[in-house]
């Protein structure tokens, strides 16, 4: 189901009040551009924005080497199923030296690129509105309450540009999001948490097109073996595979297949992290002597 311990946790009894508040807040916002990455948070926001605003809401998904193609395809399918306006747009994070350098603020440069690409789209949405409705069009992201206490430099980029966070403003936690998404029939309600492929590269190691491609191919190959929730951390020629603790034994049972998947993607060495999958665990290196 995408949960690290293999058990779906108890959801809030009722998220109806938060959904109502979210719809009301969105309805008052006028036209809106939603950055939809394909995760459950931004997908929920895209669907509810469509419910509140209809064609005045546009969902946009970034396409770049750091985004697995299946993520984009999944959002496209969701847009078709739920009828919301959607488009894909290319971003060029690798053209930003701060992103390539991969210091602790990499996500700031990534988000800056995204919002700078979305800004003219939002402007065009405003220009296309009827005369009386031609007001500045806001950009919104799927930030939730849980994100506010995490190391997320991208939030600074959002704050600098006045990007809205409707889910967090309405008090949505991850459990709330999953409950609401399940209630609304979103097929991604139990989708494992994910992040861009650059998050698999330790801070201080430059982000390159080749590295992103290798990580992406490695994760796709292991996922095809029946492990939907995973990370392949990149350490040069060594791949460190993280899966939920409940899947460790199964990985060992399929050791030869897993090794073949990782080496087939270009790694010389395949290792398994015995601590299991920890989203964002590379942040632990921040402040150490290894990161400058």
């Amino acid at each position: 189901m995408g949960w690290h311990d293999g058990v779906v946790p108890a959801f809030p009894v009722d998220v109806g009040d938060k959904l109502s508040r979210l719809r009301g807040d969105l309805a008052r916002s006028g036209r809106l551009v939603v950055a939809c990455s394909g995760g459950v948070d931004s997908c929920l926001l895209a669907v509810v924005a469509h419910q509140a605003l209809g064609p005045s809401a546009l969902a946009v998904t970034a396409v770049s080497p750091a985004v697995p193609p299946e993520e984009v395809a999944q959002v496209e399918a969701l847009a078709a199923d739920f009828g919301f306006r959607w488009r894909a747009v290319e971003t060029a994070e690798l053209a930003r030296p701060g992103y390539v350098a991969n210091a602790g603020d990499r996500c700031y440069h990534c988000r800056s690129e995204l919002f700078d690409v979305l800004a003219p789209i939002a402007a065009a949405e405003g220009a296309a509105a009827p005369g009386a409705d031609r007001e500045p069009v806001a950009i919104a992201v799927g930030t939730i309450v849980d994100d506010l206490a995490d190391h997320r430099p991208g939030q600074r980029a959002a704050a600098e540009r006045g990007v809205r966070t409707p889910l967090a403003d309405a008090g949505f936690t991850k459990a709330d999001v999953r409950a609401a998404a399940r209630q609304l029939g979103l097929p991604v309600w139990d989708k494992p948490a994910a992040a861009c492929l650059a998050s698999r590269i330790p801070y201080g190691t430059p982000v390159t097109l080749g590295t992103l491609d290798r990580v992406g191919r490695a994760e796709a190959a292991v996922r095809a073996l029946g492990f939907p929730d995973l990370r392949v951390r990149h350490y040069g020629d060594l791949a460190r595979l993280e899966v939920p603790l409940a899947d460790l034994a199964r990985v060992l049972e399929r050791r030869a297949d897993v090794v073949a998947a990782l080496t087939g993607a270009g790694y010389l060495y395949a290792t398994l992290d015995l601590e299991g999958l920890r989203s964002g665990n590379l942040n632990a290196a921040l402040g150490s002597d290894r990161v400058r």
Side-chain angles (χ1 to χ4, degrees):
M1 301 293 289
W3 298 91
H4 294 179
D5 58 4
V7 177
V8 177
F11 284 133
V13 174
D14 183 18
V15 294
D17 289 344
K18 289 184 179 180
L19 271 174
S20 295
R21 177 182 174 185
L22 177 61
R23 289 193 184 99
D25 290 347
L26 291 171
R28 289 187 291 273
S29 70
R31 303 177 76 86
L32 189 69
V33 171
V34 176
C36 187
S37 66
V40 61
D41 303 332
S42 61
C43 284
L44 175 67
L45 179 58
V47 168
V48 179
H50 170 67
Q51 292 176 343
L53 295 168
S56 293
L58 171 67
V60 180
T61 300
V63 178
S64 82
V67 179
E70 56 268 25
E71 294 289 316
V72 180
Q74 191 168 58
V75 181
E76 183 176 16
L78 189 74
D81 289 343
F82 284 82
F84 60 83
R85 292 175 61 220
W86 173 82
R87 62 176 287 193
V89 63
E90 291 189 1
T91 53
E93 298 93 327
L94 287 168
R96 294 188 176 239
Y99 176 85
V100 174
N102 195 23
D105 63 349
R106 182 197 66 240
C107 290
Y108 170 81
H109 301 285
C110 177
R111 286 299 213 179
S112 294
E113 171 67 15
L114 172 63
F115 299 141
D116 289 351
V117 168
L118 293 183
I121 294 175
E125 285 289 296
D133 296 332
R134 290 185 180 178
E135 299 179 356
V137 175
I139 297 170
V141 293
T143 298
I144 59 175
V145 171
D146 307 49
D147 299 330
L148 302 180
D150 197 5
H151 173 74
R152 294 179 182 266
Q155 292 177 9
R156 177 162 60 93
E160 290 174 353
R161 293 161 175 80
V163 173
R164 295 188 56 200
T165 57
L167 292 175
D169 294 344
F172 275 81
T173 64
K174 179 63 76 174
D176 293 329
V177 166
R178 292 197 185 279
R182 184 172 64 168
Q183 180 177 310
L184 296 178
L186 274 66
V188 297
W189 74 268
D190 63 345
K191 182 179 180 181
C196 77
L197 295 177
S199 68
R200 289 22 167 199
I201 304 171
Y203 294 117
T205 300
V207 178
T208 68
L209 181 61
T211 299
L212 293 172
D213 178 67
R214 188 190 298 185
V215 171
R217 287 188 291 113
E219 292 197 350
V222 177
R223 193 172 291 114
L225 296 175
F227 299 96
D229 201 3
L230 66 106
R231 301 285 189 276
V232 172
R233 306 296 184 184
H234 172 89
Y235 292 90
D237 288 330
L238 183 148
R240 192 184 82 205
L241 175 64
E242 296 179 13
V243 297
L245 291 174
D247 286 341
L248 288 179
R250 195 157 58 91
V251 168
L252 293 176
E253 289 173 0
R254 302 201 62 182
R255 181 187 63 82
D257 293 333
V258 171
V259 170
L262 295 174
T263 56
Y267 289 100
L268 295 180
Y269 309 102
T271 63
L272 177 63
D273 192 322
L274 297 182
E275 290 190 79
L277 175 58
R278 289 99 65 215
S279 180
N281 77 65
L282 293 183
N283 291 339
L286 293 175
S288 77
D289 291 338
R290 291 174 290 171
V291 178
R292 298 297 183 187

